[in-house]
Amino acid sequence: MTAQYGAHEMMEIHEVLTAEIDAINTMQLYRPFVKDPQLRQMLDHQLQFMTNAYNNLVQMVHANGAGQAVPYSS
């Protein structure tokens, strides 16, 4: 069974995905400037978590019948 998304739900999903992409891109922008190895490891772990969260949301949207979202790739 697939869910039907209304315009409001699609706008909310779009906002969440856009915010997630912005956050990922910002962290990737600053990553080369991180000197501390422990901080870099934390940053890498968070980037992986955020990318997985984004891709999971995209998969959920696809599974529920909205096929416009695209998985994140750096």
Side-chain angles (χ1 to χ4, degrees):
M1 176 175 157
T2 60
Q4 294 280 333
Y5 290 113
H8 181 73
E9 288 88 2
M10 288 307 298
M11 290 300 296
E12 292 289 329
I13 291 169
H14 179 265
E15 287 181 29
V16 170
L17 291 174
T18 300
E20 193 73 24
I21 288 172
D22 288 343
I24 292 169
N25 287 341
T26 300
M27 291 181 80
Q28 287 180 335
L29 177 70
Y30 290 121
R31 189 190 180 284
F33 301 103
V34 175
K35 303 290 185 220
D36 183 85
Q38 188 176 9
L39 181 58
R40 181 172 291 187
Q41 182 181 15
M42 290 169 55
L43 180 77
D44 290 341
H45 179 74
Q46 186 63 28
L47 273 168
Q48 185 63 45
F49 177 83
M50 293 169 68
T51 302
N52 288 340
Y54 175 88
N55 288 331
N56 287 338
L57 183 55
V58 168
Q59 287 177 346
M60 184 215 47
V61 170
H62 278 280
N64 289 319
Q68 295 293 326
V70 178
Y72 184 84
S73 62
S74 53

